[in-house]
Amino acid sequence: MTKIVKIALSAALMLSVGAVTASADSDKGLKLYSKKLKSACGISGAAMAGKHTQGEWQELNKSGNLAKEIKTICPKAADEDLDAKFLPHYFDFFFNFASDSGNVPSC
Amino acid sequence: MRKIVTLSAVAFLSTMAFADADTQKQIDELKKKIEQLEKANKAQDVKISKVNAQSAMDNIKFDVDFRTSYDNLRYETANGAHYSNSSLYSNRLWLGMGYAPTENMMFKGQLSVNKAFGANYNQRGAGFDMFDWVLNENLTDDTIKLREAYWLWSFDTGKIGWTVSAGRRPATNGYLVNLRDDDQAKSPMGHIINMEFDGASAAMKLDKYISGMYFKLCLGRGLTNANSRFDNTGYDFATDDSDLDNTDMVGMIFQPYDNGQYSVMTKWYRGFNVPGYKADFSGLESFGDMDGMAISFKTDGIGDGINDFLDETVLFASFAASTTRPNAGQPMLGSTDDETGTSFWVGTQMPNLTGGKFGLEYNHGSKYWRPFTYGEDTMIGSKMAVRGNAYEAYWTQPLIKDVFSMQIRYTYLDYDYTGSNAFFGYGGTPMKISEAATPTAVETAQDLRVYFRYRY
């Protein structure tokens, strides 16, 4: 046990020094939504994503109006929760479960 | 000379004026055309969206989760003997499906294959390989089996949301154990329930009053004693009193709070007529009822906005207990008394420099600890069921977006007592490893796993 564990632990600890977000992630978007927006929006993540079609979310994201749209739907959302670093994850989640996506959220 | 220059300038300017007017006209026309095209484009987008929605409503949506794993297993017995497998390879396919024709009614399902590399002779399909509780978690053969299939109906009455569901419900990869499994948490609490079930559930959501609050009633049937088809008696599918009783389970999940960062989850259940080995190990019989409860806390992020590392760090702690309720004259876990076992579990998951996640977990179980975690995804046996200590470290790394990932995981189990992964009869009798009747009892077990996983 000892040798393998030591190698594995050292490698893992060396890597876990700081946080870097590699790429947008729908699961992470859902997690962030629950954590930062759900109470301000007052609706579930699936209901929020279902507010627009995939094309509409894409257009909002491309035109840089995603944060503005979230704020329109959820006026109580805090500005820091709409930070640029969260938006790609929100977008991935909203796009995945958009009203015309046909994807069924977990229950 | 000056006259000629003046005349030329006038001629040039008047030409420019005409040219400007012409260009402006062209620009206006182009603008109009662009507006028309934009309108047409928007109309097409709406049409495409309608077609997408129509297509989605008409078809079941599939998703694929395919994992190739390498496991290096090693066991050490009380008398110092070693058993190992340094090259266990396996493929696991989950073919998920979902269909929601209306907002309130959905169907979800999952087909599964979980198979070791290579053919085998009289090894797969023997013993409990094909037992229904763990059918899709064991390495079996290349046949496709049903892992989940259920309908879920949701509706609101005022501010209260309700769901009702029945079928082969998701009862594995539950709360907290999903972290190391790199899955979204399913219904049960991973500390005490992790196995497949046919059953039903009904939930009442109160999150309009208190963030995340809900109650969920769960019902399940673990064993049926219905006769088989074309039974010799002729009583096809009638209950058979000479066989094991029906094993049923009733449970209540209560989540008092979850704001996305801090969450508390509780569960209580009772399993009725749970099976176990007879004293002579000649077969199974029903021994009595089994109770269990757990309370788990999780913080998903430490503080708020201090830094990215703390924002993405998860900490959790969980406590659970199980109590036997033996029938008269039928000792459960080797005792005719009601015996209580306890377990605690702590863990963390941290982000790392490579955009992956690193996790550490530890759990300890007491002498009579007995959860229903037979389906846990650990080759060497459920770590949550350990009567002793379990240590685990893992590194999960996305390789190509959220589509392709890998994990390296090391699990070490150090048993204090025997019977950790057994059923509820004599097989589950806890004996100190050092005093075990059989010196071949497993004292420690370890598994080093590396997997690559495709999900889309």
Side-chain angles (χ1 to χ4, degrees), chain A residues 1 5 12 15 18 20 27-28 31 34-35 53 85 100-104, chain B residues 49 56 61 99 106 108 184 259 300 308-309 311-312 352-353 355 358 410 446:
Chain A
M1 125 111 181
V5 172
L15 288 166
V20 168
D27 286 351
K28 192 168 175 185
K31 202 166 142 181
S34 306
K35 197 168 165 179
T53 63
K85 70 181 176 186
D100 61 345
S101 68
N103 287 330
V104 182
Chain B
S49 178
K61 274 243 172 175
Y99 181 48
M106 70 162 85
K108 291 209 92 171
Q184 276 194 42
N259 70 351
D300 200 334
D308 286 352
F309 179 79
D311 271 351
E312 294 188 27
N352 61 28
L353 280 172
F358 172 63
Y410 178 75
Q446 47 187 311

PDB file of all heavy atoms in Angstrom, chain A residues 1 5 12 15 18 20 27-28 31 34-35 53 85 100-104, chain B residues 49 56 61 99 106 108 184 259 300 308-309 311-312 352-353 355 358 410 446:
ATOM      1  N   MET A   1       0.829  -1.215   0.000  1.00  0.00           N
ATOM      2  CA  MET A   1       0.000   0.000   0.000  1.00  0.00           C
ATOM      3  C   MET A   1       0.856   1.254   0.000  1.00  0.00           C
ATOM      4  O   MET A   1       0.652   2.163  -0.775  1.00  0.00           O
ATOM      5  CB  MET A   1      -0.955  -0.089   1.195  1.00  0.00           C
ATOM      6  CG  MET A   1      -0.967   1.039   2.191  1.00  0.00           C
ATOM      7  SD  MET A   1      -2.445   1.978   2.167  1.00  0.00           S
ATOM      8  CE  MET A   1      -2.312   3.214   3.316  1.00  0.00           C
ATOM      9  N   VAL A   5       0.465   4.534  -2.488  1.00  0.00           N
ATOM     10  CA  VAL A   5      -0.275   5.641  -1.860  1.00  0.00           C
ATOM     11  C   VAL A   5       0.568   6.900  -1.832  1.00  0.00           C
ATOM     12  O   VAL A   5       0.094   7.994  -2.156  1.00  0.00           O
ATOM     13  CB  VAL A   5      -0.684   5.259  -0.423  1.00  0.00           C
ATOM     14  CG1 VAL A   5      -1.274   6.446   0.297  1.00  0.00           C
ATOM     15  CG2 VAL A   5      -1.703   4.151  -0.473  1.00  0.00           C
ATOM     16  N   ALA A  12      -1.199  14.036  -6.410  1.00  0.00           N
ATOM     17  CA  ALA A  12      -2.481  14.739  -6.285  1.00  0.00           C
ATOM     18  C   ALA A  12      -2.326  16.034  -5.506  1.00  0.00           C
ATOM     19  O   ALA A  12      -2.889  17.062  -5.872  1.00  0.00           O
ATOM     20  CB  ALA A  12      -3.486  13.835  -5.614  1.00  0.00           C
ATOM     21  N   LEU A  15      -0.820  18.801  -7.432  1.00  0.00           N
ATOM     22  CA  LEU A  15      -1.734  19.392  -8.419  1.00  0.00           C
ATOM     23  C   LEU A  15      -2.816  20.256  -7.777  1.00  0.00           C
ATOM     24  O   LEU A  15      -3.384  21.119  -8.419  1.00  0.00           O
ATOM     25  CB  LEU A  15      -2.389  18.282  -9.240  1.00  0.00           C
ATOM     26  CG  LEU A  15      -1.436  17.603 -10.215  1.00  0.00           C
ATOM     27  CD1 LEU A  15      -2.049  16.318 -10.734  1.00  0.00           C
ATOM     28  CD2 LEU A  15      -1.117  18.527 -11.377  1.00  0.00           C
ATOM     29  N   GLY A  18      -4.086  25.204  -6.592  1.00  0.00           N
ATOM     30  CA  GLY A  18      -4.986  26.309  -6.918  1.00  0.00           C
ATOM     31  C   GLY A  18      -6.093  25.833  -7.820  1.00  0.00           C
ATOM     32  O   GLY A  18      -6.079  24.700  -8.256  1.00  0.00           O
ATOM     33  N   VAL A  20      -8.306  26.124 -11.227  1.00  0.00           N
ATOM     34  CA  VAL A  20      -8.387  26.645 -12.584  1.00  0.00           C
ATOM     35  C   VAL A  20      -9.589  26.000 -13.234  1.00  0.00           C
ATOM     36  O   VAL A  20      -9.800  24.806 -13.100  1.00  0.00           O
ATOM     37  CB  VAL A  20      -7.117  26.282 -13.387  1.00  0.00           C
ATOM     38  CG1 VAL A  20      -7.318  26.568 -14.855  1.00  0.00           C
ATOM     39  CG2 VAL A  20      -5.920  27.071 -12.876  1.00  0.00           C
ATOM     40  N   ASP A  27     -22.895  20.579 -16.036  1.00  0.00           N
ATOM     41  CA  ASP A  27     -23.112  20.164 -14.642  1.00  0.00           C
ATOM     42  C   ASP A  27     -22.688  21.273 -13.686  1.00  0.00           C
ATOM     43  O   ASP A  27     -23.334  21.539 -12.683  1.00  0.00           O
ATOM     44  CB  ASP A  27     -22.303  18.905 -14.312  1.00  0.00           C
ATOM     45  CG  ASP A  27     -22.925  17.677 -14.939  1.00  0.00           C
ATOM     46  OD1 ASP A  27     -24.048  17.791 -15.462  1.00  0.00           O
ATOM     47  OD2 ASP A  27     -22.284  16.617 -14.932  1.00  0.00           O
ATOM     48  N   LYS A  28     -21.572  21.903 -14.050  1.00  0.00           N
ATOM     49  CA  LYS A  28     -21.085  22.981 -13.207  1.00  0.00           C
ATOM     50  C   LYS A  28     -22.048  24.165 -13.272  1.00  0.00           C
ATOM     51  O   LYS A  28     -22.274  24.856 -12.278  1.00  0.00           O
ATOM     52  CB  LYS A  28     -19.683  23.398 -13.654  1.00  0.00           C
ATOM     53  CG  LYS A  28     -19.021  24.281 -12.664  1.00  0.00           C
ATOM     54  CD  LYS A  28     -17.558  24.458 -12.945  1.00  0.00           C
ATOM     55  CE  LYS A  28     -17.009  25.474 -11.964  1.00  0.00           C
ATOM     56  NZ  LYS A  28     -15.634  25.789 -12.223  1.00  0.00           N
ATOM     57  N   LYS A  31     -24.811  23.466 -10.968  1.00  0.00           N
ATOM     58  CA  LYS A  31     -24.342  23.632  -9.588  1.00  0.00           C
ATOM     59  C   LYS A  31     -24.259  25.126  -9.235  1.00  0.00           C
ATOM     60  O   LYS A  31     -24.710  25.548  -8.172  1.00  0.00           O
ATOM     61  CB  LYS A  31     -22.953  22.990  -9.494  1.00  0.00           C
ATOM     62  CG  LYS A  31     -22.531  22.587  -8.127  1.00  0.00           C
ATOM     63  CD  LYS A  31     -21.318  21.676  -8.253  1.00  0.00           C
ATOM     64  CE  LYS A  31     -20.332  21.951  -7.149  1.00  0.00           C
ATOM     65  NZ  LYS A  31     -19.134  21.126  -7.224  1.00  0.00           N
ATOM     66  N   SER A  34     -27.734  26.609  -8.828  1.00  0.00           N
ATOM     67  CA  SER A  34     -28.333  26.283  -7.525  1.00  0.00           C
ATOM     68  C   SER A  34     -27.736  27.153  -6.429  1.00  0.00           C
ATOM     69  O   SER A  34     -28.431  27.589  -5.512  1.00  0.00           O
ATOM     70  CB  SER A  34     -28.081  24.823  -7.160  1.00  0.00           C
ATOM     71  OG  SER A  34     -28.517  23.995  -8.183  1.00  0.00           O
ATOM     72  N   LYS A  35     -26.434  27.356  -6.548  1.00  0.00           N
ATOM     73  CA  LYS A  35     -25.713  28.047  -5.483  1.00  0.00           C
ATOM     74  C   LYS A  35     -25.930  29.562  -5.533  1.00  0.00           C
ATOM     75  O   LYS A  35     -26.099  30.201  -4.510  1.00  0.00           O
ATOM     76  CB  LYS A  35     -24.226  27.727  -5.661  1.00  0.00           C
ATOM     77  CG  LYS A  35     -23.348  27.991  -4.505  1.00  0.00           C
ATOM     78  CD  LYS A  35     -21.994  27.331  -4.805  1.00  0.00           C
ATOM     79  CE  LYS A  35     -20.916  27.824  -3.879  1.00  0.00           C
ATOM     80  NZ  LYS A  35     -19.636  27.180  -4.165  1.00  0.00           N
ATOM     81  N   THR A  53     -35.267  29.145 -26.139  1.00  0.00           N
ATOM     82  CA  THR A  53     -34.847  28.044 -27.010  1.00  0.00           C
ATOM     83  C   THR A  53     -33.322  28.046 -27.082  1.00  0.00           C
ATOM     84  O   THR A  53     -32.668  29.008 -26.668  1.00  0.00           O
ATOM     85  CB  THR A  53     -35.400  28.220 -28.428  1.00  0.00           C
ATOM     86  OG1 THR A  53     -34.836  29.423 -28.970  1.00  0.00           O
ATOM     87  CG2 THR A  53     -36.907  28.306 -28.443  1.00  0.00           C
ATOM     88  N   LYS A  85     -16.842  35.070 -15.284  1.00  0.00           N
ATOM     89  CA  LYS A  85     -16.297  33.706 -15.191  1.00  0.00           C
ATOM     90  C   LYS A  85     -17.385  32.646 -15.000  1.00  0.00           C
ATOM     91  O   LYS A  85     -17.161  31.466 -15.266  1.00  0.00           O
ATOM     92  CB  LYS A  85     -15.255  33.614 -14.078  1.00  0.00           C
ATOM     93  CG  LYS A  85     -15.797  33.716 -12.679  1.00  0.00           C
ATOM     94  CD  LYS A  85     -14.675  33.633 -11.662  1.00  0.00           C
ATOM     95  CE  LYS A  85     -15.247  33.845 -10.270  1.00  0.00           C
ATOM     96  NZ  LYS A  85     -14.223  33.926  -9.241  1.00  0.00           N
ATOM     97  N   ASP A 100     -36.385  23.864 -26.332  1.00  0.00           N
ATOM     98  CA  ASP A 100     -36.503  22.988 -27.507  1.00  0.00           C
ATOM     99  C   ASP A 100     -35.405  21.934 -27.540  1.00  0.00           C
ATOM    100  O   ASP A 100     -35.152  21.322 -28.577  1.00  0.00           O
ATOM    101  CB  ASP A 100     -36.454  23.825 -28.794  1.00  0.00           C
ATOM    102  CG  ASP A 100     -35.151  24.590 -28.950  1.00  0.00           C
ATOM    103  OD1 ASP A 100     -34.420  24.701 -27.957  1.00  0.00           O
ATOM    104  OD2 ASP A 100     -34.868  25.070 -30.064  1.00  0.00           O
ATOM    105  N   SER A 101     -34.724  21.712 -26.389  1.00  0.00           N
ATOM    106  CA  SER A 101     -33.579  20.789 -26.395  1.00  0.00           C
ATOM    107  C   SER A 101     -34.008  19.330 -26.393  1.00  0.00           C
ATOM    108  O   SER A 101     -33.298  18.462 -26.901  1.00  0.00           O
ATOM    109  CB  SER A 101     -32.697  21.033 -25.171  1.00  0.00           C
ATOM    110  OG  SER A 101     -33.394  20.637 -23.999  1.00  0.00           O
ATOM    111  N   GLY A 102     -35.154  19.074 -25.801  1.00  0.00           N
ATOM    112  CA  GLY A 102     -35.597  17.686 -25.683  1.00  0.00           C
ATOM    113  C   GLY A 102     -34.859  16.937 -24.584  1.00  0.00           C
ATOM    114  O   GLY A 102     -35.144  15.784 -24.303  1.00  0.00           O
ATOM    115  N   ASN A 103     -33.897  17.580 -23.937  1.00  0.00           N
ATOM    116  CA  ASN A 103     -33.175  16.922 -22.831  1.00  0.00           C
ATOM    117  C   ASN A 103     -34.036  16.934 -21.578  1.00  0.00           C
ATOM    118  O   ASN A 103     -34.692  17.929 -21.273  1.00  0.00           O
ATOM    119  CB  ASN A 103     -31.844  17.631 -22.555  1.00  0.00           C
ATOM    120  CG  ASN A 103     -30.833  17.349 -23.649  1.00  0.00           C
ATOM    121  OD1 ASN A 103     -30.873  16.285 -24.260  1.00  0.00           O
ATOM    122  ND2 ASN A 103     -29.959  18.296 -23.929  1.00  0.00           N
ATOM    123  N   VAL A 104     -33.995  15.831 -20.878  1.00  0.00           N
ATOM    124  CA  VAL A 104     -34.838  15.702 -19.697  1.00  0.00           C
ATOM    125  C   VAL A 104     -33.964  15.841 -18.455  1.00  0.00           C
ATOM    126  O   VAL A 104     -33.027  15.057 -18.275  1.00  0.00           O
ATOM    127  CB  VAL A 104     -35.531  14.325 -19.689  1.00  0.00           C
ATOM    128  CG1 VAL A 104     -36.450  14.184 -18.484  1.00  0.00           C
ATOM    129  CG2 VAL A 104     -36.300  14.124 -20.986  1.00  0.00           C
TER     130      VAL A 104
ATOM    131  N   SER B  49     -36.451  26.140 -34.330  1.00  0.00           N
ATOM    132  CA  SER B  49     -36.694  25.850 -32.928  1.00  0.00           C
ATOM    133  C   SER B  49     -37.949  24.997 -32.755  1.00  0.00           C
ATOM    134  O   SER B  49     -37.987  24.065 -31.964  1.00  0.00           O
ATOM    135  CB  SER B  49     -36.834  27.175 -32.184  1.00  0.00           C
ATOM    136  OG  SER B  49     -37.102  26.933 -30.860  1.00  0.00           O
ATOM    137  N   ALA B  56     -37.942  16.733 -30.599  1.00  0.00           N
ATOM    138  CA  ALA B  56     -37.639  16.297 -29.236  1.00  0.00           C
ATOM    139  C   ALA B  56     -38.851  15.655 -28.575  1.00  0.00           C
ATOM    140  O   ALA B  56     -38.743  14.694 -27.833  1.00  0.00           O
ATOM    141  CB  ALA B  56     -37.170  17.477 -28.405  1.00  0.00           C
ATOM    142  N   LYS B  61     -34.701  10.783 -26.131  1.00  0.00           N
ATOM    143  CA  LYS B  61     -33.316  11.268 -26.247  1.00  0.00           C
ATOM    144  C   LYS B  61     -32.379  10.300 -25.535  1.00  0.00           C
ATOM    145  O   LYS B  61     -32.621   9.936 -24.383  1.00  0.00           O
ATOM    146  CB  LYS B  61     -33.193  12.642 -25.606  1.00  0.00           C
ATOM    147  CG  LYS B  61     -33.545  13.758 -26.542  1.00  0.00           C
ATOM    148  CD  LYS B  61     -32.322  14.626 -26.760  1.00  0.00           C
ATOM    149  CE  LYS B  61     -32.575  15.653 -27.840  1.00  0.00           C
ATOM    150  NZ  LYS B  61     -31.463  16.563 -27.996  1.00  0.00           N
ATOM    151  N   TYR B  99     -37.531  11.072 -21.911  1.00  0.00           N
ATOM    152  CA  TYR B  99     -38.608  11.533 -22.783  1.00  0.00           C
ATOM    153  C   TYR B  99     -39.597  12.321 -21.939  1.00  0.00           C
ATOM    154  O   TYR B  99     -40.094  11.821 -20.926  1.00  0.00           O
ATOM    155  CB  TYR B  99     -39.283  10.319 -23.434  1.00  0.00           C
ATOM    156  CG  TYR B  99     -40.408  10.654 -24.381  1.00  0.00           C
ATOM    157  CD1 TYR B  99     -40.234  11.626 -25.364  1.00  0.00           C
ATOM    158  CD2 TYR B  99     -41.630  10.001 -24.293  1.00  0.00           C
ATOM    159  CE1 TYR B  99     -41.262  11.936 -26.237  1.00  0.00           C
ATOM    160  CE2 TYR B  99     -42.668  10.304 -25.170  1.00  0.00           C
ATOM    161  CZ  TYR B  99     -42.480  11.270 -26.136  1.00  0.00           C
ATOM    162  OH  TYR B  99     -43.493  11.579 -27.002  1.00  0.00           O
ATOM    163  N   MET B 106     -42.499  12.821 -17.232  1.00  0.00           N
ATOM    164  CA  MET B 106     -41.298  12.399 -17.938  1.00  0.00           C
ATOM    165  C   MET B 106     -41.039  10.914 -17.730  1.00  0.00           C
ATOM    166  O   MET B 106     -41.520  10.304 -16.773  1.00  0.00           O
ATOM    167  CB  MET B 106     -40.084  13.197 -17.463  1.00  0.00           C
ATOM    168  CG  MET B 106     -39.630  12.873 -16.064  1.00  0.00           C
ATOM    169  SD  MET B 106     -37.955  13.411 -15.747  1.00  0.00           S
ATOM    170  CE  MET B 106     -38.224  15.106 -15.290  1.00  0.00           C
ATOM    171  N   LYS B 108     -37.665   8.278 -17.702  1.00  0.00           N
ATOM    172  CA  LYS B 108     -36.210   8.155 -17.782  1.00  0.00           C
ATOM    173  C   LYS B 108     -35.830   6.685 -17.658  1.00  0.00           C
ATOM    174  O   LYS B 108     -36.504   5.917 -16.947  1.00  0.00           O
ATOM    175  CB  LYS B 108     -35.524   8.953 -16.670  1.00  0.00           C
ATOM    176  CG  LYS B 108     -35.660  10.456 -16.854  1.00  0.00           C
ATOM    177  CD  LYS B 108     -34.514  11.228 -16.263  1.00  0.00           C
ATOM    178  CE  LYS B 108     -33.441  11.447 -17.280  1.00  0.00           C
ATOM    179  NZ  LYS B 108     -32.379  12.359 -16.870  1.00  0.00           N
ATOM    180  N   GLN B 184     -23.860  13.045 -11.009  1.00  0.00           N
ATOM    181  CA  GLN B 184     -24.804  13.871 -10.254  1.00  0.00           C
ATOM    182  C   GLN B 184     -25.477  12.969  -9.213  1.00  0.00           C
ATOM    183  O   GLN B 184     -25.765  11.811  -9.509  1.00  0.00           O
ATOM    184  CB  GLN B 184     -25.873  14.434 -11.186  1.00  0.00           C
ATOM    185  CG  GLN B 184     -25.398  15.702 -11.878  1.00  0.00           C
ATOM    186  CD  GLN B 184     -26.553  16.432 -12.526  1.00  0.00           C
ATOM    187  OE1 GLN B 184     -27.621  16.545 -11.945  1.00  0.00           O
ATOM    188  NE2 GLN B 184     -26.340  16.917 -13.724  1.00  0.00           N
ATOM    189  N   ASN B 259     -29.078  25.369   0.179  1.00  0.00           N
ATOM    190  CA  ASN B 259     -29.079  26.636  -0.569  1.00  0.00           C
ATOM    191  C   ASN B 259     -28.066  26.603  -1.713  1.00  0.00           C
ATOM    192  O   ASN B 259     -27.660  27.623  -2.230  1.00  0.00           O
ATOM    193  CB  ASN B 259     -28.808  27.829   0.359  1.00  0.00           C
ATOM    194  CG  ASN B 259     -27.371  27.847   0.869  1.00  0.00           C
ATOM    195  OD1 ASN B 259     -26.630  26.900   0.665  1.00  0.00           O
ATOM    196  ND2 ASN B 259     -26.991  28.921   1.528  1.00  0.00           N
ATOM    197  N   ASP B 300     -20.560  23.135  -0.173  1.00  0.00           N
ATOM    198  CA  ASP B 300     -20.046  23.161  -1.544  1.00  0.00           C
ATOM    199  C   ASP B 300     -19.441  24.543  -1.773  1.00  0.00           C
ATOM    200  O   ASP B 300     -20.103  25.452  -2.266  1.00  0.00           O
ATOM    201  CB  ASP B 300     -21.212  22.903  -2.506  1.00  0.00           C
ATOM    202  CG  ASP B 300     -20.718  22.450  -3.856  1.00  0.00           C
ATOM    203  OD1 ASP B 300     -19.575  22.787  -4.217  1.00  0.00           O
ATOM    204  OD2 ASP B 300     -21.486  21.764  -4.557  1.00  0.00           O
ATOM    205  N   ASP B 308     -10.961  31.234  -5.888  1.00  0.00           N
ATOM    206  CA  ASP B 308     -11.554  30.166  -6.686  1.00  0.00           C
ATOM    207  C   ASP B 308     -11.374  28.797  -6.028  1.00  0.00           C
ATOM    208  O   ASP B 308     -12.257  27.942  -6.091  1.00  0.00           O
ATOM    209  CB  ASP B 308     -10.922  30.140  -8.086  1.00  0.00           C
ATOM    210  CG  ASP B 308     -11.420  31.293  -8.932  1.00  0.00           C
ATOM    211  OD1 ASP B 308     -12.353  31.997  -8.477  1.00  0.00           O
ATOM    212  OD2 ASP B 308     -10.879  31.508 -10.033  1.00  0.00           O
ATOM    213  N   PHE B 309     -10.214  28.606  -5.410  1.00  0.00           N
ATOM    214  CA  PHE B 309      -9.931  27.311  -4.786  1.00  0.00           C
ATOM    215  C   PHE B 309     -10.962  26.999  -3.698  1.00  0.00           C
ATOM    216  O   PHE B 309     -11.556  25.922  -3.679  1.00  0.00           O
ATOM    217  CB  PHE B 309      -8.516  27.319  -4.199  1.00  0.00           C
ATOM    218  CG  PHE B 309      -8.156  26.032  -3.515  1.00  0.00           C
ATOM    219  CD1 PHE B 309      -7.767  24.925  -4.257  1.00  0.00           C
ATOM    220  CD2 PHE B 309      -8.224  25.913  -2.134  1.00  0.00           C
ATOM    221  CE1 PHE B 309      -7.450  23.726  -3.633  1.00  0.00           C
ATOM    222  CE2 PHE B 309      -7.908  24.718  -1.502  1.00  0.00           C
ATOM    223  CZ  PHE B 309      -7.519  23.628  -2.254  1.00  0.00           C
ATOM    224  N   ASP B 311     -13.858  28.470  -3.265  1.00  0.00           N
ATOM    225  CA  ASP B 311     -15.209  28.443  -3.855  1.00  0.00           C
ATOM    226  C   ASP B 311     -15.564  27.060  -4.376  1.00  0.00           C
ATOM    227  O   ASP B 311     -16.726  26.665  -4.394  1.00  0.00           O
ATOM    228  CB  ASP B 311     -15.292  29.428  -5.025  1.00  0.00           C
ATOM    229  CG  ASP B 311     -15.704  30.813  -4.554  1.00  0.00           C
ATOM    230  OD1 ASP B 311     -16.080  30.943  -3.382  1.00  0.00           O
ATOM    231  OD2 ASP B 311     -15.632  31.762  -5.363  1.00  0.00           O
ATOM    232  N   GLU B 312     -14.559  26.347  -4.844  1.00  0.00           N
ATOM    233  CA  GLU B 312     -14.831  25.057  -5.486  1.00  0.00           C
ATOM    234  C   GLU B 312     -14.459  23.867  -4.623  1.00  0.00           C
ATOM    235  O   GLU B 312     -14.442  22.729  -5.096  1.00  0.00           O
ATOM    236  CB  GLU B 312     -14.101  24.990  -6.829  1.00  0.00           C
ATOM    237  CG  GLU B 312     -14.665  26.006  -7.813  1.00  0.00           C
ATOM    238  CD  GLU B 312     -14.100  25.854  -9.206  1.00  0.00           C
ATOM    239  OE1 GLU B 312     -13.707  24.739  -9.558  1.00  0.00           O
ATOM    240  OE2 GLU B 312     -14.051  26.865  -9.918  1.00  0.00           O
ATOM    241  N   ASN B 352      -8.002  21.308  -8.724  1.00  0.00           N
ATOM    242  CA  ASN B 352      -6.545  21.359  -8.834  1.00  0.00           C
ATOM    243  C   ASN B 352      -6.115  22.143 -10.067  1.00  0.00           C
ATOM    244  O   ASN B 352      -6.948  22.599 -10.857  1.00  0.00           O
ATOM    245  CB  ASN B 352      -5.931  19.957  -8.804  1.00  0.00           C
ATOM    246  CG  ASN B 352      -6.399  19.092  -9.945  1.00  0.00           C
ATOM    247  OD1 ASN B 352      -6.731  19.593 -11.002  1.00  0.00           O
ATOM    248  ND2 ASN B 352      -6.432  17.802  -9.735  1.00  0.00           N
ATOM    249  N   LEU B 353      -4.819  22.293 -10.214  1.00  0.00           N
ATOM    250  CA  LEU B 353      -4.265  23.164 -11.262  1.00  0.00           C
ATOM    251  C   LEU B 353      -4.616  22.728 -12.676  1.00  0.00           C
ATOM    252  O   LEU B 353      -4.556  23.506 -13.601  1.00  0.00           O
ATOM    253  CB  LEU B 353      -2.735  23.191 -11.137  1.00  0.00           C
ATOM    254  CG  LEU B 353      -2.174  24.105 -10.063  1.00  0.00           C
ATOM    255  CD1 LEU B 353      -0.692  23.891  -9.930  1.00  0.00           C
ATOM    256  CD2 LEU B 353      -2.464  25.559 -10.424  1.00  0.00           C
ATOM    257  N   GLY B 355      -7.501  21.663 -13.710  1.00  0.00           N
ATOM    258  CA  GLY B 355      -8.929  21.769 -14.011  1.00  0.00           C
ATOM    259  C   GLY B 355      -9.694  20.536 -13.583  1.00  0.00           C
ATOM    260  O   GLY B 355     -10.867  20.382 -13.893  1.00  0.00           O
ATOM    261  N   PHE B 358      -9.575  16.706  -6.943  1.00  0.00           N
ATOM    262  CA  PHE B 358      -8.835  15.765  -6.116  1.00  0.00           C
ATOM    263  C   PHE B 358      -9.651  15.530  -4.856  1.00  0.00           C
ATOM    264  O   PHE B 358     -10.133  16.481  -4.237  1.00  0.00           O
ATOM    265  CB  PHE B 358      -7.466  16.376  -5.789  1.00  0.00           C
ATOM    266  CG  PHE B 358      -6.693  15.571  -4.794  1.00  0.00           C
ATOM    267  CD1 PHE B 358      -6.307  14.277  -5.086  1.00  0.00           C
ATOM    268  CD2 PHE B 358      -6.356  16.104  -3.561  1.00  0.00           C
ATOM    269  CE1 PHE B 358      -5.601  13.523  -4.162  1.00  0.00           C
ATOM    270  CE2 PHE B 358      -5.649  15.355  -2.629  1.00  0.00           C
ATOM    271  CZ  PHE B 358      -5.266  14.061  -2.936  1.00  0.00           C
ATOM    272  N   TYR B 410      -7.577   5.337  -5.483  1.00  0.00           N
ATOM    273  CA  TYR B 410      -6.990   4.301  -4.630  1.00  0.00           C
ATOM    274  C   TYR B 410      -7.876   4.128  -3.395  1.00  0.00           C
ATOM    275  O   TYR B 410      -8.207   5.095  -2.705  1.00  0.00           O
ATOM    276  CB  TYR B 410      -5.577   4.694  -4.194  1.00  0.00           C
ATOM    277  CG  TYR B 410      -4.967   3.671  -3.277  1.00  0.00           C
ATOM    278  CD1 TYR B 410      -4.494   2.459  -3.780  1.00  0.00           C
ATOM    279  CD2 TYR B 410      -4.918   3.888  -1.908  1.00  0.00           C
ATOM    280  CE1 TYR B 410      -3.976   1.497  -2.940  1.00  0.00           C
ATOM    281  CE2 TYR B 410      -4.396   2.931  -1.057  1.00  0.00           C
ATOM    282  CZ  TYR B 410      -3.921   1.741  -1.576  1.00  0.00           C
ATOM    283  OH  TYR B 410      -3.413   0.769  -0.732  1.00  0.00           O
ATOM    284  N   GLN B 446      -7.245  -3.657  -1.079  1.00  0.00           N
ATOM    285  CA  GLN B 446      -6.927  -2.386  -1.738  1.00  0.00           C
ATOM    286  C   GLN B 446      -7.186  -2.494  -3.227  1.00  0.00           C
ATOM    287  O   GLN B 446      -7.089  -3.568  -3.820  1.00  0.00           O
ATOM    288  CB  GLN B 446      -5.494  -1.958  -1.462  1.00  0.00           C
ATOM    289  CG  GLN B 446      -4.454  -3.033  -1.633  1.00  0.00           C
ATOM    290  CD  GLN B 446      -3.083  -2.541  -1.175  1.00  0.00           C
ATOM    291  OE1 GLN B 446      -2.644  -1.476  -1.550  1.00  0.00           O
ATOM    292  NE2 GLN B 446      -2.417  -3.349  -0.368  1.00  0.00           N
TER     293      GLN B 446
END
